[in-house]
């Protein structure tokens, strides 16, 4: 239900438009395909994915001699589901424990909020969770993480603003060991001035993790803001070059009609979207399941 509400803008952007479209056509022709293409591209599904979906749709319609435009919506739902099902598994990789999740992404995308929400999820599953305030460049980031920690009821390892992020992560790993923590979730600073800079900052943290926590199951999550569309794809490409990103968290899907970006991103980058943010509250982070996603869009 939350997913449905969260995706309502995208639903309006895609399916409601398709409803209007198919009603305005008596038969299926090239103009219809073109308008359909336009709708999908506008929803940020991505040019390649759109072309693929439209081509398959055209083939099926031809082969099965489908005449009624009303059937297009169901066919489209099916094609999208098929294509999305090719994406890899989306479960958070936190087993076997201990495990560590490094969360990367540029400021403002919803990194801190997502960490709080993930902590809440894992805690509800009975896991012992600890947070590390590795974004030491902004005092606000440290404070914000502490607020989430208090809200969710998990401790936060933090140093002062301006201190070495790698030192925070080092301390957090020692604490996680001493306290028998299942999942340590680390915030990081994502200042994307340039690639070299980012590589230096994150590289040091990765090294500490490799050295101090070799036995831990590792997940590197990149957080992206869905409302930034193609910009998010660009960010993801840069991060992918410097880090071994194992999953994506796409936030603020509730704030955009272009939720198709989930599809474009996971396909273009070949990295699974693991979680999607559909609101500001603790519960507003959902696992990304193709079936649920497509159902929420097509009703
Ligand atoms: P950070 O700088 O990346 O750590 O970003 P924050 O976690 O502080 O989030 C920035 C803003 O985005 C805050 O106002 C959050 O409440 C908001 N936000 C984060 N995730 C979501 C989401 O899924 N939906 C909505 N509507 N807002 C979100």
């Amino acid at each position: 239900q939350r997913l449905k509400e969260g995706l309502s803008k995208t639903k309006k952007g895609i399916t409601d438009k398709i409803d209007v479209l198919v009603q305005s056509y008596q038969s299926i022709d090239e103009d219809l395909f073109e308008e359909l293409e336009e709708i999908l591209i506008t929803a940020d599904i991505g040019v390649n994915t759109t072309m693929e979906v439209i081509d398959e749709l055209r083939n099926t319609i031809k082969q099965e001699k489908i005449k009624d435009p009303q059937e297009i919506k169901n066919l489209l739902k099916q094609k999208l589901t098929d294509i999305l099902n090719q994406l890899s598994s989306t479960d958070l990789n936190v087993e076997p424990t201990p495990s560590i999740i490094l969360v990367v992404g540029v400021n403002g995308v919803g990194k801190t909020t997502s960490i709080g929400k993930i902590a809440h999820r894992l805690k509800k599953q009975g896991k012992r969770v600890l947070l590390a305030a590795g974004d030491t460049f902004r005092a606000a980031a440290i404070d914000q993480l502490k607020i989430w920690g208090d809200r969710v009821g998990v401790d936060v390892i933090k140093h002062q603003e301006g201190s070495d992020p790698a030192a925070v992560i080092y301390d957090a790993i020692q604490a996680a060991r001493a306290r028998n923590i299942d999942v340590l979730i680390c915030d990081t600073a994502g200042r994307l001035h340039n690639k070299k800079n980012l590589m230096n900052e994150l590289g040091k943290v990765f090294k500490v993790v490799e050295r101090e926590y070799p036995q831990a199951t590792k997940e590197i999550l990149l957080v992206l803001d869905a409302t930034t569309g193609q910009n998010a794809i660009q960010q993801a490409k840069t991060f992918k070059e410097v880090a071994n990103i194992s999953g994506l968290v796409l936030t603020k899907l509730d704030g955009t009609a272009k939720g198709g970006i989930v599809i474009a991103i996971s396909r273009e980058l070949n990295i699974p979207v693991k979680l999607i943010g559909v609101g500001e509250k603790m519960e507003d982070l959902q696992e990304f399941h193709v079936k649920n996603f497509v159902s929420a869009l097509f009703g």
Side-chain angles (χ1 to χ4, degrees):
Q1 194 53 41
R2 273 305 291 133
L3 183 66
K4 250 198 174 127
E5 280 167 33
L7 291 174
S8 61
K9 285 190 184 163
T10 299
K11 183 174 182 299
K12 277 206 187 81
I14 301 181
T15 36
D16 294 2
K17 279 194 201 160
I18 292 174
D19 283 339
V20 174
L21 177 68
V22 295
Q23 264 153 33
S24 68
Y25 277 83
Q26 308 293 337
S27 62
I28 300 174
D29 61 21
E30 266 314 300
D31 287 347
L32 197 164
F33 284 126
E34 249 169 56
E35 286 197 54
L36 196 58
E37 197 176 295
E38 172 95 27
I39 291 172
L40 297 182
I41 288 177
T42 306
D44 261 355
I45 281 177
V47 175
N48 293 340
T49 308
T50 299
M51 294 306 176
E52 207 172 313
V53 170
I54 299 281
D55 279 348
E56 296 220 358
L57 201 63
R58 206 185 259 121
N59 286 341
T60 306
I61 285 170
K62 203 169 161 194
Q63 271 164 20
E64 297 180 10
K65 302 193 168 56
I66 294 167
K67 300 272 181 264
D68 184 1
Q70 302 290 337
E71 289 191 41
I72 281 189
K73 196 166 147 187
N74 267 333
L75 282 174
L76 188 67
K77 182 177 174 182
Q78 194 51 51
K79 295 293 174 206
L80 266 181
T81 307
D82 291 348
I83 283 183
L84 286 176
N85 273 332
Q86 296 164 8
L87 304 173
S88 42
S89 140
T90 59
D91 290 337
L92 262 189
N93 191 19
V94 292
E95 304 282 352
T97 56
S99 78
I100 182 165
I101 304 177
L102 292 165
V103 185
V104 303
V106 303
N107 294 338
V109 293
K111 202 152 42 91
T112 317
T113 308
S114 297
I115 291 172
K117 291 170 175 174
I118 293 170
H120 174 66
R121 278 187 87 83
L122 292 171
K123 204 176 165 224
K124 261 199 341 204
Q125 293 167 13
K127 298 221 160 40
R128 295 169 61 89
V129 180
L130 182 67
L131 303 181
D135 183 354
T136 58
F137 292 95
R138 298 178 303 152
I142 303 173
D143 297 343
Q144 201 54 33
L145 195 68
K146 181 76 177 88
I147 291 170
W148 269 104
D150 291 345
R151 197 178 286 163
V152 176
V154 303
D155 284 344
V156 179
I157 302 296
K158 59 187 172 75
H159 290 185
Q160 275 176 346
E161 181 190 0
S163 57
D164 182 2
V168 178
I169 305 305
Y170 178 91
D171 276 0
I173 291 171
Q174 311 310 322
R177 276 221 195 84
R179 301 180 195 182
N180 215 2
I181 291 294
D182 294 316
V183 189
L184 170 61
I185 311 176
C186 307
D187 194 5
T188 64
R191 298 182 307 163
L192 235 186
H193 299 319
N194 59 57
K195 213 160 59 192
K196 190 149 168 280
N197 199 298
L198 182 70
M199 213 175 316
N200 285 342
E201 286 176 4
L202 290 177
K204 238 179 119 182
V205 168
F206 293 154
K207 257 188 219 139
V208 167
V209 172
E210 283 307 325
R211 194 180 65 223
E212 300 298 323
Y213 223 15
Q215 79 279 26
T217 302
K218 292 173 192 72
E219 175 96 273
I220 303 180
L221 293 180
L222 171 63
V223 182
L224 298 168
D225 179 342
T227 64
T228 62
Q230 296 303 314
N231 217 334
I233 296 193
Q234 209 41 55
Q235 277 170 27
K237 284 183 176 157
T238 307
F239 272 94
K240 198 182 169 184
E241 285 174 38
V242 302
N244 207 355
I245 309 291
S246 53
L248 302 174
V249 178
L250 214 56
T251 63
K252 310 186 198 179
L253 270 169
D254 52 311
T256 177
K258 293 167 173 272
I261 196 77
V262 178
I263 300 167
I265 284 190
S266 44
R267 297 200 83 215
E268 272 190 42
L269 295 153
N270 203 16
I271 304 174
V273 172
K274 298 213 165 177
L275 297 161
I276 54 179
V278 291
E280 296 188 88
K281 289 205 269 327
M282 227 189 276
E283 304 76 26
D284 293 336
L285 189 73
Q286 308 245 336
E287 281 170 18
F288 176 68
H289 291 304
V290 170
K291 215 171 132 250
N292 299 349
F293 183 78
V294 177
S295 294
L297 288 189
F298 285 82

